[in-house]
Amino acid sequence: MNVDLRILRYDPERDKAPHWETYAVAADPMDRVLDLLIKVKAENDGSLSFRRSCGHGICGSDAMLINSRNRLACRIRVDQLGKKISVAPLPGLPVVKDLIVEMSGFFGKYRSVKPYLINDQPEPERERLQTQKDRARYDDTTKCILCAACTSACPSFWARPEYVGPAAIVQAHRFIFDSRDEGAAERLEILADENGVWRCRTIFNCVDACPRGINITRAILEVSSAIVGRRG
Amino acid sequence: MDYPFDAIVVGAGGAGLWAALELAREGVNTAVLTKLYPTRSHTGTAQGGVCAALGNLEEDHWEWHMFDTVKGGDYLVDQDAAEVLAREAIETVIELEHMGLPFNRTPDGKIDQRRFGGHTSNYGEAPVRRACFAADRTGHMILQTLYQQCIKHGVKFFDEFGVVDLLFEGGEPDAGGRAAGVVAQRLADGQLHTFRAKAVLLATGGFGRMFRITSNAHSLTGDGVALCYRHGIPLQDMEFFQFHPTGIVGIGILLSEAARGEGGTLLNDLGERFMERYAPKLMELAPRDMVSRAMYQEIRAGRGIGGKDYLYLDVRHLGRKVIEEKLPDITDFARIYQGVEPLTEPIPVQPTAHYAMGGIPTNVSAEVTRDEKSTVVPGLFAAGECACVSVHGANRLGTNSLVDLLVFGRRAGRQMARYAGGVERPRPIPDAVEAVRAELEAIRTRPSSGESAAAIRTDLQDVMMDKVGVYRDGKMLTAALARVRELEARHDRISITDCGSVFNTELIEARELGYLLDIAHATVSGALARTESRGAHSREDYPERDDKKWLKHTLAYRGTDGPTLRYKDVSITRFEPKPRTY
Amino acid sequence: MALYSRSGRPRPQSGGFELAAWYYMRLSGVALFVLALTHFSVMHFLFDPAQEKSGFISARWDDIAIRSFDWLFLIVVLSHAFLGIRTVTMDYLQGGRRTLALMALSIVGIVVFVLGTLVVMTANIQPV
Amino acid sequence: MLLRYRGSEGMVAWAFHRISGIAIWAFVLLHVFDIYLSGGNPSVYDDLLKFYASPLGRILEVLLGGALLYHALNGIRILLMDFWPRLTAYHKQIWYANWVIFAVAGVPAAIIILKPIFGA
Ligand SMILES: Cc1cc2nc3c(=O)[nH]c(=O)nc-3n(C[C@H](O)[C@H](O)[C@H](O)COP(=O)(O)OP(=O)(O)OC[C@H]3O[C@@H](n4cnc5c(N)ncnc54)[C@H](O)[C@@H]3O)c2cc1C
Ligand code: HEM
Ligand code: SF4
Ligand code: F3S
Ligand code: FES
């Protein structure tokens, strides 16, 4: 089948503003959008730039705005989208070139929530013990691949780029609810902020966008509940 | 720009991150350079698990693990290294738990373990539960946990900096020179920077992208391996490349061994469980090289599905509960990438290029060695899939790669810290970037009528897949060699359309293609010379293993007219080579 | 832009107030669910404006309990709405314009509160 | 951005909530003013009541009532999830349930208010 692939192109060295280009691409219904992008790069325009690595939805490189929703280009098939496909860079993040956005701010926010185990007790000889129930408590949020699909789909983030964003809260959640961690208080302190959890308006765009199927909003609300519980 | 550091780590997969962490703990001024954001590294795709003889569920000993590793590698394994691997697997896994890795737990709260192909108790008696795991995303959790620890310890990351050259002081390595740093291109603006350091670690991962059908990431182009090769360091055992039996047809995405571990079966066009004929005892759970060969034989005999080049992986009989709870990723991949419903349909699979056993030769301290006497290149280190210690010999066992990253990543970091404490920092090298700049400019400025990188890459992947795949013979390999030479010539005339400097991914891909061509050349030459069948290297014209002639490692040196081959002894300490039956 | 990545966000300062505001929005929301819907129903279903003259309100406000109810309602509505609008403002405006808008909103809020209170406290509407 | 992104129920629910909140706020301001102004002046007050009784007034009132009802119901939806985060898994179902309640309570109410326009 033939697909009209519309791509929002931008070359900072040549263009003043992003503009749409349309490519007619011969595609198999089982092709993924990433395959089409690779094809356009090989056959139509070698300068088309986008990030990709693993090719099967696990590294988080190729989150982009596809038919008006954030998804991973390597996880969405042509037959799920139809004959008209539009691809643009992730919304709300500064565009560097074509489909590549500036990610350092995103990772900076990730770092700001202390995303690492905090436990100053002397380490035991063997592994620390953890019950299966305690392990299950934070299982959902360990799945995050830091693709930024959620944060960049959040209207609250578009309005205020200072918002720490769902991805960072997910990462904080992963530790706050880990029975081995002792840094919950510090992280809750960081997130109890105008630009922390209070900026979430339960919009759920994040959940819809997450390629890992994480119930992000639940994680955020569990963190706000923990803050309320601690202060109240 | 010139950045002085004490240590540089190239690559932020499992191996690079652990090394960086050790260095940071030792207070060594370290920079990590990675062409991807660290969390995008391919370590994150590993699913199955990481083996360590913890004995949490049943009796287990590191000696057993070592034996399985040696036997699995068809005795080409260096046994001193395998001993280190099996012993230190235990402490590194425990350390990972201390760092916060969310392992699955046994009912009494310990790290849970499961069975995996080739791992046995009591020297081959019965399968043993040795693979520690975090659901079906063990690699993801290892990558995340190590990155988290690096953040905690303030490691400096240069994200999206692609290393394009290595620097040496006092001559090239073969003239006794020592590592002095690297040249890296910042992808965001295309500028070249030099990073000077006393110790340089290469942890750039594999190079499965020289094959058409591969489980490897687009970014796995063997950069570190090729750069060493270009600087006169030989590549070891390149002819051994593992094909994983169950890749998704056409695209190679991996369906983990766990599918067969849980009882999935392989079927041919006649609906036969054909593994009966090839490995009557272990059936589908025979080592990967054996299963892949069996599949190829079926396909050749015309028993592929519909006469085509794939077979079926069938999990239907396992029932919805097992499929959805224990194999969620596989189910998900089959649904998304094949449109197949594993609950009701068999999944079409075909062997997929998966893992490089060979690579940059190193000793057990992760120091790069440059000849058959294992002479160390001062200051240069390698670890992870790009290195060849060699703990995997001719065929790697499932889960042993992650162990390799942990054990030798950690050793690399420690040894680098020690080394960096005792030497002076190299002096700035004048014009360090000029050679690479010239090479890149040549591609960038060539009139756009030249060869296209995409076309050459496709051709290379086809040759390698069709002629240097699971089965090889003299004729195929000779033809492949000629073809690779021809492609190299075409690569010299490559041209691109993008003349910009910001994220010029076309330029980067053209360069990466050059790495792949170098590596392919070494691979084909090694394979052509090795007239025996061992592990993943199966010569149809030489079907037997020949310990008298070939129990030795290949070292391929780059020459003006193709690689020169030399050979190095295998270290044998505990286990004498025996026929490999399961 | 730093060449290599470092930690991103300055430490937050205003944790306490935002928490209180968040919590108050929920509590006042519950209260309003009762107050506002009752108010609306009473005014529209028990009585119909078409049938009423100003006498109706004065009769209603003869009862001190009803006056108190209405005053409480006024406080809760105004505070909830003020905090809500403050949120919206802080989402879309920054810097000087944000400060200005928030000041304006506060003034409007206070004025309306005073007026409303005056009405509820002192209104003495006689039927014509 | 808001218009370019195709959000699902959650985004619509939020947009309506925000719009309805602002609308009610605007009305409350007016409402307090008008009552204040009419406070000392019964005739103004009666004019006001007349306006409320007019067809336009009644339509505006229905819109206001709808906004209030929607905002109230969705406010409860948010509250429920805030205090029982596991309910987030059902946020769409709760939203649809809200519309059922909205219809059941709102339509009769709208009819009562609008009836006089049609001269009943
Ligand atoms: C699908 C799949 C499943 C697997 N499952 C298992 C399993 O269950 N158990 C197991 O033990 N093994 C498994 N493996 C194998 C194992 O995951 C890999 O061998 C291992 O992760 C390699 O790690 P690494 O640290 O060497 O490199 P990688 O994780 O590949 O990282 C390479 C790093 O190098 C960087 N890099 C590369 N080139 C450059 C350059 N020029 N400049 C700067 N940086 C560069 C990259 O950015 C990246 O950070 C699996 C492999 C695959 C493909
Ligand atoms: C009757 C007059 C009311 C007014 C004027 C009003 C106004 C507002 C405003 C302006 C907001 C901010 C919206 C936003 O942040 O996006 C808001 C939020 C909210 N309102 Fe109301 N509201 C009223 C009644 C109610 C009622 C009856 C309830 C529920 C029972 C309610 C519950 C909430 C809640 C929970 C929020 C927070 C939403 C969030 O943070 O995203 N409100 N309200
Ligand atoms: S929570 Fe989901 S969408 Fe957000 S960064 Fe993680 S994986 Fe991506
Ligand atoms: S989209 Fe944004 S507002 Fe909250 S629920 Fe998700 S973070
Ligand atoms: S390429 Fe890795 S997630 Fe798409």
Side-chain angles (χ1 to χ4, degrees):
Chain A
M1 71 198 262
N2 263 313
V3 171
D4 276 338
L5 183 63
R6 229 160 53 104
I7 305 177
L8 194 61
R9 301 290 309 268
Y10 174 65
D11 179 348
E13 290 160 299
R14 279 193 310 204
D15 305 333
K16 283 217 176 63
H19 58 97
W20 291 99
E21 296 269 355
T22 307
Y23 305 89
V25 198
D28 186 277
M30 289 303 288
D31 275 349
R32 298 152 288 161
V33 171
L34 180 62
D35 298 324
L36 302 191
L37 294 176
I38 290 173
K39 207 162 176 178
V40 168
K41 187 173 178 63
E43 293 168 11
N44 302 57
D45 185 352
S47 70
L48 175 66
S49 295
F50 49 91
R51 291 190 178 101
R52 86 282 179 269
S53 183
C54 72
H56 64 282
I58 196 72
C59 75
S61 297
D62 58 349
M64 45 188 87
L65 186 69
I66 300 173
N67 283 9
S68 301
R69 286 204 172 159
N70 283 359
R71 351 194 184 208
L72 297 177
C74 63
R75 249 186 90 93
I76 183 90
R77 296 191 311 261
V78 169
D79 67 345
Q80 294 170 301
L81 294 168
K83 289 196 165 183
K84 286 204 182 314
I85 299 177
S86 78
V87 181
L90 282 180
L93 296 167
V95 181
V96 180
K97 180 184 180 188
D98 292 340
L99 302 170
I100 296 176
V101 292
E102 174 61 51
M103 294 287 282
S104 53
F106 174 81
F107 276 97
K109 284 173 183 149
Y110 160 72
R111 286 158 174 262
S112 76
V113 301
K114 305 197 174 190
Y116 41 77
L117 193 83
I118 298 176
N119 184 329
D120 295 332
Q121 308 295 325
E123 278 154 7
E125 182 87 345
R126 296 282 296 198
E127 68 262 43
R128 293 190 197 91
L129 300 183
Q130 183 170 50
T131 66
Q132 291 177 338
K133 197 162 157 251
D134 285 344
R135 168 66 180 75
R137 182 69 189 81
Y138 63 100
D139 186 66
D140 202 30
T141 42
T142 63
K143 294 177 192 156
C144 173
I145 54 175
L146 292 166
C147 67
C150 54
T151 297
S152 114
C154 173
S156 206
F157 173 75
W158 301 334
R160 301 233 48 82
E162 294 88 339
Y163 175 30
V164 65
I169 304 177
V170 160
Q171 290 286 340
H173 179 279
R174 179 248 170 276
F175 289 100
I176 292 170
F177 293 94
D178 186 335
S179 59
R180 299 168 296 173
D181 182 83
E182 295 178 343
E186 296 169 49
R187 290 191 202 94
L188 294 178
E189 188 73 33
I190 293 171
L191 290 171
D193 178 40
E194 179 195 336
N195 291 318
V197 286
W198 307 134
R199 205 169 266 295
C200 172
R201 317 265 182 252
T202 41
I203 298 172
F204 287 94
N205 274 10
C206 51
V207 179
D208 290 332
C210 180
R212 306 286 288 154
I214 301 172
N215 187 343
I216 302 171
T217 310
R218 176 174 179 176
I220 297 175
L221 294 179
E222 283 176 351
V223 172
S224 22
S225 298
I227 295 174
V228 172
R230 200 166 57 93
R231 298 276 179 102
Chain B
M1 274 291 261
D2 171 89
Y3 299 91
F5 280 96
D6 286 333
I8 284 170
V9 173
V10 184
L17 288 176
W18 199 321
L21 182 57
E22 279 316 316
L23 286 160
R25 283 179 178 158
E26 298 288 332
V28 181
N29 184 11
T30 307
V32 179
L33 278 70
T34 159
K35 67 176 176 180
L36 308 167
Y37 275 96
T39 54
R40 316 284 185 234
S41 302
H42 208 57
T43 296
T45 61
Q47 306 171 356
V50 48
C51 267
L54 299 181
N56 276 356
L57 291 144
E58 52 190 327
E59 185 186 354
D60 200 3
H61 303 283
W62 66 261
E63 291 91 341
W64 297 353
H65 185 183
M66 174 185 170
F67 171 77
D68 291 335
T69 303
V70 171
K71 182 178 170 192
D74 223 350
Y75 295 92
L76 193 68
V77 172
D78 279 332
Q79 296 189 10
D80 52 341
E83 177 166 341
V84 168
L85 179 92
R87 269 177 192 269
E88 294 184 10
I90 301 173
E91 54 194 78
T92 48
V93 165
I94 298 289
E95 201 175 333
L96 273 180
E97 196 284 330
H98 291 161
M99 291 179 195
L101 197 138
F103 282 110
N104 277 39
R105 298 291 171 156
T106 63
D108 51 355
K110 294 190 207 155
I111 296 174
D112 203 0
Q113 297 186 280
R114 64 179 165 208
R115 301 195 176 98
F116 230 83
H119 289 278
T120 65
S121 60
N122 207 9
Y123 308 106
E125 236 170 55
V128 69
R129 288 159 168 263
R130 186 179 290 148
C132 313
F133 62 99
D136 53 1
R137 42 179 191 280
T138 314
H140 165 75
M141 289 325 318
I142 288 179
L143 187 65
Q144 295 271 327
T145 304
L146 289 171
Y147 185 49
Q148 291 156 1
Q149 290 297 310
C150 285
I151 292 175
K152 184 172 183 177
H153 288 88
V155 173
K156 291 196 193 86
F157 283 97
F158 291 78
D159 299 328
E160 301 195 317
F161 274 72
V163 169
V164 285
D165 202 4
L166 308 179
L167 299 173
F168 293 91
E169 189 180 72
E172 288 291 293
D174 54 2
R178 66 153 172 154
V182 300
V183 178
Q185 187 184 33
R186 186 182 185 202
L187 306 191
D189 59 11
Q191 297 306 309
L192 293 172
H193 301 266
T194 54
F195 290 79
R196 250 182 318 131
K198 303 168 183 174
V200 174
L201 172 70
L202 299 170
T204 55
F207 36 85
R209 278 287 148 180
M210 65 182 171
F211 295 96
R212 181 177 64 234
I213 293 168
T214 177
S215 64
N216 283 200
H218 291 275
S219 54
L220 287 180
T221 49
D223 306 15
V225 177
L227 289 175
C228 281
Y229 189 51
R230 291 178 182 187
H231 282 279
I233 293 161
L235 303 185
Q236 183 174 330
D237 293 340
M238 296 298 281
E239 58 271 34
F240 298 100
F241 203 98
Q242 180 171 78
F243 283 77
H244 193 292
T246 53
I248 287 180
V249 173
I251 39 184
I253 294 171
L254 195 75
L255 301 176
S256 162
E257 202 164 295
R260 283 168 289 137
E262 295 294 342
T265 55
L266 292 168
L267 304 177
N268 65 16
D269 199 33
L270 309 173
E272 294 171 330
R273 227 180 131 183
F274 59 86
M275 281 308 293
E276 282 167 349
R277 284 199 290 280
Y278 304 89
K281 255 174 45 205
L282 281 185
M283 304 281 278
E284 283 85 359
L285 275 177
R288 291 174 182 174
D289 52 339
M290 295 185 175
V291 181
S292 291
R293 277 197 291 275
M295 291 172 71
Y296 258 76
Q297 298 212 0
E298 289 298 306
I299 291 168
R300 288 229 193 121
R303 291 192 292 271
I305 306 302
K308 299 219 191 78
D309 60 346
Y310 60 88
L311 295 147
Y312 279 146
L313 170 66
D314 189 1
V315 295
R316 288 173 294 183
H317 54 284
L318 303 180
R320 177 181 289 269
K321 198 169 145 58
V322 173
I323 295 177
E324 295 208 323
E325 283 177 14
K326 297 210 172 155
L327 309 170
D329 258 18
I330 296 167
T331 323
D332 186 53
F333 290 161
R335 285 184 189 141
I336 292 197
Y337 297 113
Q338 285 179 306
V340 166
E341 176 48 65
L343 290 172
T344 55
E345 295 167 273
I347 314 166
V349 291
Q350 104 198 122
T352 177
H354 183 56
Y355 185 85
M357 268 73 73
I360 309 164
T362 69
N363 61 23
V364 291
S365 302
E367 294 166 311
V368 173
T369 63
R370 61 177 165 87
D371 56 21
E372 50 276 53
K373 293 191 290 293
S374 295
T375 311
V376 167
V377 180
L380 191 61
F381 298 77
E385 188 168 339
C386 69
C388 178
V389 195
S390 121
V391 284
H392 308 306
N395 175 57
R396 168 178 75 88
L397 288 189
T399 74
N400 259 359
S401 169
L402 291 178
V403 187
D404 180 1
L405 308 184
L406 307 181
V407 169
F408 292 100
R410 186 172 78 150
R411 284 185 154 242
R414 292 184 176 174
Q415 183 63 24
M416 287 168 81
R418 233 172 279 142
Y419 173 82
V423 296
E424 289 292 305
R425 184 177 296 152
R427 270 188 297 279
I429 300 171
D431 301 333
V433 303
E434 288 319 314
V436 195
R437 192 195 302 282
E439 285 175 45
L440 293 177
E441 279 313 304
I443 300 179
R444 205 206 302 261
T445 52
R446 203 168 289 146
S448 61
S449 54
E451 296 279 348
S452 113
I456 302 176
R457 188 172 51 228
T458 311
D459 289 351
L460 173 69
Q461 290 170 337
D462 285 344
V463 192
M464 293 302 286
M465 196 73 205
D466 300 335
K467 301 220 154 55
V468 201
V470 172
Y471 275 110
R472 300 131 183 218
D473 66 27
K475 247 175 53 209
M476 288 157 82
L477 291 169
T478 314
L481 192 60
R483 193 91 172 98
V484 170
R485 285 218 159 99
E486 187 192 315
L487 293 173
E488 281 177 336
R490 276 170 66 190
H491 184 256
D492 289 339
R493 299 192 299 272
I494 215 164
S495 71
I496 59 176
T497 53
D498 190 346
C499 351
S501 42
V502 176
F503 269 99
N504 191 335
T505 50
E506 196 181 14
L507 182 62
I508 296 161
E509 286 181 14
R511 180 142 183 108
E512 288 173 342
L513 175 62
Y515 300 146
L516 287 179
L517 282 165
D518 276 353
I519 291 170
H521 204 152
T523 304
V524 178
S525 305
L528 186 57
R530 187 177 282 271
T531 48
E532 65 156 353
S533 289
R534 180 189 297 272
H537 175 65
S538 290
R539 289 281 300 253
E540 283 183 297
D541 41 357
Y542 297 93
E544 296 303 319
R545 190 174 91 191
D546 182 352
D547 285 341
K548 269 228 258 346
K549 252 180 90 185
W550 287 110
L551 187 57
K552 54 189 183 183
H553 299 294
T554 308
L555 293 179
Y557 291 78
R558 190 171 196 246
T560 40
D561 202 32
T564 335
L565 302 177
R566 289 197 243 159
Y567 294 90
K568 182 168 88 171
D569 291 338
V570 175
S571 139
I572 293 170
T573 57
R574 284 172 188 253
F575 306 111
E576 280 302 316
K578 275 192 270 189
R580 181 163 163 255
T581 52
Y582 282 92
Chain C
M1 191 175 53
L3 204 52
Y4 56 81
S5 35
R6 284 203 197 86
S7 233
R9 237 161 50 96
R11 269 187 82 77
Q13 291 117 20
S14 60
F17 179 73
E18 292 300 328
L19 165 67
W22 184 87
Y23 212 69
Y24 181 75
M25 281 307 274
R26 323 281 131 173
L27 288 182
S28 59
V30 179
L32 281 174
F33 191 78
V34 180
L35 296 174
L37 291 180
T38 319
H39 178 82
F40 193 83
S41 315
V42 166
M43 299 315 263
H44 292 286
F45 308 131
L46 296 190
F47 312 95
D48 184 90
Q51 265 90 64
E52 300 303 328
K53 294 270 168 215
S54 44
F56 148 68
I57 199 99
S58 62
R60 199 168 104 86
W61 275 353
D62 277 349
D63 187 340
I64 185 81
I66 292 188
R67 281 199 189 228
S68 315
F69 173 92
D70 281 359
W71 193 58
L72 181 72
F73 177 42
L74 181 77
I75 293 174
V76 180
V77 164
L78 287 180
S79 53
H80 177 98
F82 173 76
L83 283 173
I85 294 291
R86 168 181 174 273
T87 312
V88 178
T89 313
M90 305 225 308
D91 273 3
Y92 298 122
L93 299 180
Q94 354 187 0
R97 282 157 70 193
R98 179 199 273 201
T99 322
L100 215 69
L102 286 180
M103 262 156 60
L105 281 176
S106 313
I107 292 169
V108 171
I110 291 168
V111 168
V112 171
F113 173 69
V114 171
L115 295 186
T117 306
L118 276 176
V119 173
V120 177
M121 294 289 177
T122 63
N124 183 15
I125 301 167
Q126 296 305 326
V128 250
Chain D
M1 191 60 58
L2 270 174
L3 299 178
R4 240 177 71 202
Y5 198 89
R6 218 168 65 221
S8 49
E9 288 85 345
M11 181 160 148
V12 182
W14 162 77
F16 282 12
H17 191 77
R18 185 156 271 199
I19 295 166
S20 59
I22 297 171
I24 307 167
W25 171 72
F27 171 77
V28 168
L29 294 192
L30 283 177
H31 195 49
V32 171
F33 262 114
D34 66 38
I35 300 205
Y36 172 76
L37 287 180
S38 59
N41 192 336
S43 72
V44 175
Y45 187 78
D46 282 344
D47 287 346
L48 198 70
L49 281 181
K50 251 188 234 125
F51 172 71
Y52 283 128
S54 73
L56 181 63
R58 283 177 191 271
I59 290 172
L60 286 178
E61 247 172 71
V62 167
L63 288 180
L64 171 74
L68 182 68
L69 187 56
Y70 173 81
H71 188 94
L73 289 172
N74 193 55
I76 295 294
R77 167 176 167 273
I78 295 172
L79 270 156
L80 286 175
M81 296 189 297
D82 281 337
F83 293 108
W84 292 277
R86 75 185 55 193
L87 291 179
T88 47
Y90 310 103
H91 77 97
K92 292 184 185 173
Q93 284 91 325
I94 304 178
W95 200 57
Y96 291 124
N98 275 351
W99 283 116
V100 173
I101 303 176
F102 184 85
V104 169
V107 172
I111 291 173
I112 296 178
I113 297 176
L114 292 180
K115 221 164 34 191
I117 301 184
F118 307 105

